[in-house]
Amino acid sequence: MMGLGSAIGAGLFLGSGAGIAMAGPAIIVSYAVAGALVLIVMRAVAEMVSARPSTGSFATYASQAFNKKAGFTLGWLYWFLLIMVLIAEISGAAGILHSLVPTVPQWGWALIFVVSFAAVNLWGVRNFGEFEFWLSGVKVVTVVVFLIIGVALIVGIVGDGPVGFSNLVEHGGFAPQGFSGVAAGLLAVMFSFGGIEIITIAAAEADRPREAIRAATKSIFWRILIFYIGSMLVIATLLPWNDPAVSGPNGPFVAVLQLAHIPAIATVMQIIAALALLSAFNANIYATSRMAYSLTAQGEGFAPLLHLSKRKVPTNAVLASIVLSLVGVFLNWWIPGQVFTVLLDLVGAALLVVWAGMLASQLRLHRELEREGSISLRMWWHPWLSWIGLIGLAAFAGLMLWNEQTRWQLLGTIAITLVIWLIGLVRGVDRHRSTMPGDLSPEAGQGSGPVVTGRPGVDDH
């Protein structure tokens, strides 16, 4: 369910309209290209996770493939990225509910959510998983119902009669803005896939990590095809791409469902968008805490973050994420649209660096894992598909440099990456030994290779 939920966020419900407005019906192509790149990246990571389960995931593999400075840089860059996302998510959810219930101030909603999810994550990984299961379930059901209603509208079972497929080719054609529109749409939608890599962190904390990552990654193709591309096909078929409602404040999902004359649908979708943000907030508290724990276990963090509760929860690492999310909400209220607007713009470009690091690590580690005989989920068409993924990410970086609005985001991310690398150099992370004796996985010692990081939470299932 985390895998399913990570494929569905507020960016899909509310933000996809901006991509449609840029690319027209050809947004389907933009999503397909972005989805293909994400599929390649996730398969590469799945190969490494299947061989050496670790809650440090790609940071651990970067350390093993290159050196500890690489793992330090990739891991803390990802941690920084998710902290920025945490701030955006809790602020966004609080803002939506404040607009629905204005008697409760935005900071009040934010405080309620932060305290609630702190309790969920501190209580144990089982509680986190149960909570995330239901939050993800709401999003999955919403998209499935949307697709059913959309198809019914297209063929005329509901609504004012059959719509047909004319909107896909009229109003300037399938790609009214040409290649530049598809490229702009790609820039708008690429990072809506961000967060899907969290399943590789969570899988390592499962009872049977190899089977967990196998099940999650094998279904990624269908999730992308059905949830993203299927939704865009329905929207582009039912609405002209230049309809103001597509990029309006309520998003294209509401615009489509209003064609079916569903009462109060705008309010319902606002609530679902808030739940999507809260689901992502919950998952990212988990991901940031496990990443911080794992990095520290390898001698690349700060010793207090290694504290485990009786339930094997990295308490201090969770509290660090909670405190920073509270500070972020306060700063967002105090100086809205300034510091954190700038930082949040860096999130997308940081994902490029993280994804590229995943592919590079797989290319470097593959031969070693082959010698161990520990690979149970292989990368397709190795090494060619990994190289195609890297070339695709490089091309996307070129698009960002070409676009004036995204150019500084990429350059800023490069600067932040260099700063984190220099911090690792100054700290001498390559000279530090692992703080933890080894992997705590139930599968440790069963041909999984030399994993150097522990797994919190294995007793809480």
Side-chain angles (χ1 to χ4, degrees), residues 19-331:
I20 296 171
M22 294 176 186
I27 192 66
I28 298 166
V29 176
S30 300
Y31 268 104
V33 171
L37 280 174
V38 171
L39 191 64
I40 291 170
V41 171
M42 291 305 301
R43 185 71 181 198
V45 183
E47 178 183 275
M48 296 182 287
V49 174
S50 73
R52 298 176 178 177
S54 167
T55 52
S57 188
F58 40 86
T60 299
Y61 308 132
S63 293
Q64 294 171 1
F66 300 99
N67 53 51
K68 282 200 168 186
K69 283 195 290 291
F72 178 92
T73 303
L74 202 64
W76 285 112
L77 176 66
Y78 187 69
W79 181 88
F80 166 81
L81 177 159
L82 289 187
I83 290 296
M84 296 301 102
V85 172
L86 278 175
I87 294 163
E89 288 159 350
I90 200 65
S91 300
I96 289 172
L97 290 181
H98 173 64
S99 68
L100 295 174
V101 187
T103 53
V104 180
Q106 182 171 337
W107 66 265
W109 283 114
L111 186 61
I112 291 170
F113 297 146
V114 169
V115 171
S116 300
F117 285 105
V120 168
N121 279 268
L122 289 171
W123 186 250
V125 72
R126 177 185 290 276
N127 296 74
F128 158 78
E130 184 75 14
F131 214 84
E132 190 60 24
F133 173 89
W134 291 107
L135 286 174
S136 294
V138 170
K139 296 187 289 184
V140 171
V141 169
T142 298
V143 175
V144 170
V145 171
F146 171 80
L147 291 173
I148 292 171
I149 293 174
V151 172
L153 282 166
I154 291 170
V155 300
I157 296 174
V158 298
D160 300 323
V163 176
F165 298 92
S166 59
N167 284 326
L168 291 173
V169 293
E170 293 181 356
H171 313 287
F174 181 73
Q177 308 293 340
F179 172 77
S180 62
V182 175
L186 188 58
L187 288 172
V189 306
M190 179 70 166
F191 302 123
S192 62
F193 289 95
I196 203 167
E197 66 284 336
I198 289 174
I199 63 173
T200 65
I201 299 173
E205 202 166 341
D207 280 328
R208 295 177 295 277
R210 288 179 176 84
E211 285 136 359
I213 194 63
R214 182 190 299 273
T217 54
K218 279 191 173 182
S219 62
I220 286 175
F221 172 80
W222 298 110
R223 292 203 297 274
I224 291 172
L225 183 65
I226 295 171
F227 291 126
Y228 277 100
I229 299 176
S231 295
M232 292 306 106
L233 181 59
V234 166
I235 293 168
T237 301
L238 289 171
L239 297 169
W241 68 273
N242 51 2
D243 187 329
V246 170
S247 54
N250 290 325
F253 278 68
V254 170
V256 166
L257 293 173
Q258 284 176 334
L259 296 176
H261 309 298
I262 298 175
I265 189 59
T267 300
V268 171
M269 287 304 299
Q270 278 186 299
I271 294 171
I272 290 171
L275 288 175
L277 286 164
L278 292 175
S279 170
F281 180 74
N282 187 39
N284 286 332
I285 291 174
Y286 173 88
T288 52
S289 61
R290 270 49 177 189
M291 183 63 74
Y293 174 89
S294 179
L295 287 165
T296 304
Q298 298 178 76
E300 300 167 11
F302 308 92
L305 298 176
L306 286 176
H307 173 71
L308 293 176
S309 70
K310 290 181 180 179
R311 292 176 173 270
K312 295 295 184 78
V313 174
T315 308
N316 291 343
V318 171
L319 288 174
S321 299
I322 292 296
V323 169
L324 286 171
S325 63
L326 279 173
V327 171
V329 170
F330 169 73
L331 290 176

Side-chain angles (χ1 to χ4, degrees), residues 327-343:
V327 171
V329 170
F330 169 73
L331 290 176
N332 239 338
W333 166 78
W334 186 35
I335 46 173
Q338 295 180 40
V339 174
F340 282 98
T341 300
V342 173
L343 291 175

Side-chain angles (χ1 to χ4, degrees), residues 286-461:
Y286 173 88
T288 52
S289 61
R290 270 49 177 189
M291 183 63 74
Y293 174 89
S294 179
L295 287 165
T296 304
Q298 298 178 76
E300 300 167 11
F302 308 92
L305 298 176
L306 286 176
H307 173 71
L308 293 176
S309 70
K310 290 181 180 179
R311 292 176 173 270
K312 295 295 184 78
V313 174
T315 308
N316 291 343
V318 171
L319 288 174
S321 299
I322 292 296
V323 169
L324 286 171
S325 63
L326 279 173
V327 171
V329 170
F330 169 73
L331 290 176
N332 239 338
W333 166 78
W334 186 35
I335 46 173
Q338 295 180 40
V339 174
F340 282 98
T341 300
V342 173
L343 291 175
L344 286 170
D345 283 340
L346 301 176
V347 166
L351 271 173
L352 274 189
V353 177
V354 171
W355 288 343
M358 294 178 187
L359 289 172
S361 299
Q362 185 271 331
L363 282 167
R364 190 75 178 266
L365 275 179
H366 180 84
R367 188 175 297 177
E368 183 181 327
L369 299 179
E370 281 274 30
R371 285 198 302 267
E372 292 172 6
S374 56
I375 299 176
S376 60
L377 191 67
R378 294 182 177 278
M379 178 62 178
W380 301 304
W381 304 325
H382 174 83
W384 308 112
L385 201 58
S386 297
W387 280 111
I388 289 170
L390 282 172
I391 292 168
L393 292 175
F396 189 80
L399 278 179
M400 292 191 73
L401 286 173
W402 173 63
N403 186 290
E404 291 184 6
Q405 294 181 337
T406 56
R407 183 182 305 139
W408 74 269
Q409 298 175 22
L410 182 62
L411 295 175
T413 293
I414 293 171
I416 291 172
T417 304
L418 288 174
V419 168
I420 295 174
W421 183 83
L422 287 172
I423 292 172
L425 184 65
V426 171
R427 283 176 56 89
V429 293
D430 282 331
R431 297 193 299 272
H432 293 172
R433 287 181 170 271
S434 172
T435 312
M436 298 295 289
D439 188 28
L440 301 178
S441 166
E443 299 185 3
Q446 299 178 19
S448 61
V451 181
V452 297
T453 180
R455 285 175 57 232
V458 293
D459 293 341
D460 185 39
H461 288 274

